Amino acid sequence: MAKAMLRLFGRPTSSNTQKVLWTLAELSSRTSFELVLASARLGPDSDLLCEGTGAKPYGVVDSDEYVELCPTRLVPCLVDGSLSVWESHSIVRYLAQKYGPDLHLGSIEGMAQCSPWMDWLLFQNFHECNHDFIDQIARTPPPERKLELMARSYEGYVKRLQKVEEQVARTGAFITGSSFSIADIVIGAEISRFSCGMHRWAMGPQELPSLVELPHLCKYFRRLQERQLGLFSLIKSCGLGEGIGYPAPTPASGRPFGHWCWARRA
């Protein structure tokens, strides 16, 4: 059976685009896709914000053609034949429903287990801390970073991730139970972004905040990293390097980075 050929507008350093890329990686035996680089704020010549560097963004999102596909002019946007789907969680649900029902536990009831966690991620407004955290740590030159804003964003992440810590402590495996699902994709992408933001922070001149222990979250993150078709293998196969939002390498200490950045160091 021939693979479905899809087109995805976005950029790999966008956590919302990463959710879709991860889903497509999980579906790699059933789908193929073309990635069209698109962004209003970032471009190919710099990791920093274009409004600060004067560099040219990828663009595309400001075109008349794109607004026909995505009225909000944001990324990601998926095109499947004559259908365009926008908003990352809607795209992930669509892909699972059409091409990989196993990713929503194989039933309507399974989707009903996954969807609340996907909605929770949105309604907890991770973007409130995500946006400032990444803009400061990854897209602003170190001398211009605002430590107070970084610390407040860290606290916002930890407060929200406590719920994930409690849930995976209860299930002992993944968000909805023993099986991996699209709930893990969207939450895992956010954890990956947080993890690598902390790595970038630790490598820079600013002092780290007092770190909170989240041991079950660390184990959960390692489980996600071990998936052969997940986001992590996709980023490696694309040759995109260690850009922000991607899994950080193991430090020289040999301790897995997930534990290193969340637990108090000895």
Side-chain angles (χ1 to χ4, degrees):
M1 184 177 178
K3 292 184 180 181
M5 185 61 197
L6 312 173
R7 194 158 44 126
L8 176 64
F9 292 86
R11 54 179 171 79
T13 53
S14 154
S15 59
N16 285 327
T17 301
Q18 287 171 12
K19 296 169 187 177
V20 181
L21 288 171
W22 187 344
T23 307
L24 288 167
E26 297 282 347
L27 298 172
S28 60
S29 65
R30 288 162 270 187
T31 62
S32 299
F33 69 96
E34 171 195 5
L35 177 62
V36 181
L37 294 172
S39 176
R41 306 176 73 221
L42 294 163
D45 299 323
S46 175
D47 290 333
L48 304 179
L49 294 171
C50 291
E51 57 257 40
T53 64
K56 185 178 180 180
Y58 290 117
V60 178
V61 294
D62 56 354
S63 67
D64 292 339
E65 293 80 8
Y66 191 74
V67 77
E68 292 296 321
L69 300 174
C70 179
T72 61
R73 295 186 183 273
L74 299 174
V75 295
C77 177
L78 181 82
V79 177
D80 185 359
S82 61
L83 175 69
S84 63
V85 187
W86 44 282
E87 287 296 325
S88 59
H89 290 203
S90 293
I91 296 171
V92 169
R93 287 189 184 96
Y94 169 77
L95 288 170
Q97 187 79 357
K98 184 170 182 179
Y99 297 109
D102 50 304
L103 288 177
H104 64 69
L105 309 179
S107 67
I108 294 295
E109 291 80 8
M111 180 65 89
Q113 289 180 267
C114 299
S115 279
W117 282 103
M118 299 174 74
D119 292 340
W120 169 83
L121 189 71
L122 297 176
F123 294 138
Q124 284 297 308
N125 197 13
F126 270 79
H127 184 73
E128 186 177 85
C129 50
N130 174 321
H131 180 80
D132 289 336
F133 192 69
I134 298 304
D135 271 5
Q136 289 297 312
I137 293 173
R139 299 169 183 162
T140 301
E144 299 174 22
R145 293 174 185 167
K146 299 176 181 177
L147 185 59
E148 182 179 346
L149 191 55
M150 292 160 60
R152 190 162 63 243
S153 298
Y154 170 78
E155 291 169 2
Y157 257 120
V158 169
K159 180 179 179 181
R160 290 162 172 82
L161 289 174
Q162 288 285 358
K163 180 60 65 177
V164 182
E165 167 80 3
E166 294 167 7
Q167 178 66 7
V168 294
R170 188 181 67 80
T171 66
F174 298 104
I175 290 296
T176 62
S178 60
S179 298
F180 175 85
S181 73
I182 52 178
D184 299 293
I185 290 176
V186 299
I187 291 174
E190 197 64 57
I191 296 172
S192 174
R193 192 174 186 83
F194 172 59
S195 175
C196 293
M198 290 303 296
H199 185 199
R200 182 72 66 90
W201 190 345
M203 298 300 107
Q206 285 91 359
E207 184 179 350
L208 283 168
S210 178
L211 300 176
V212 177
E213 293 188 16
L214 297 169
H216 297 287
L217 191 69
C218 294
K219 293 176 184 177
Y220 171 62
F221 188 44
R222 289 189 205 123
R223 264 182 233 113
L224 297 179
Q225 288 176 309
E226 290 166 359
R227 291 190 62 77
Q228 295 302 307
L229 296 176
L231 170 66
F232 312 108
S233 62
L234 173 69
I235 296 304
K236 183 178 179 181
S237 68
C238 288
L240 294 170
E242 295 169 9
I244 193 70
Y246 303 142
T250 300
S253 66
R255 299 177 70 187
F257 181 69
H259 183 82
W260 178 77
C261 77
W262 289 318
R264 296 181 186 278
R265 286 170 286 174

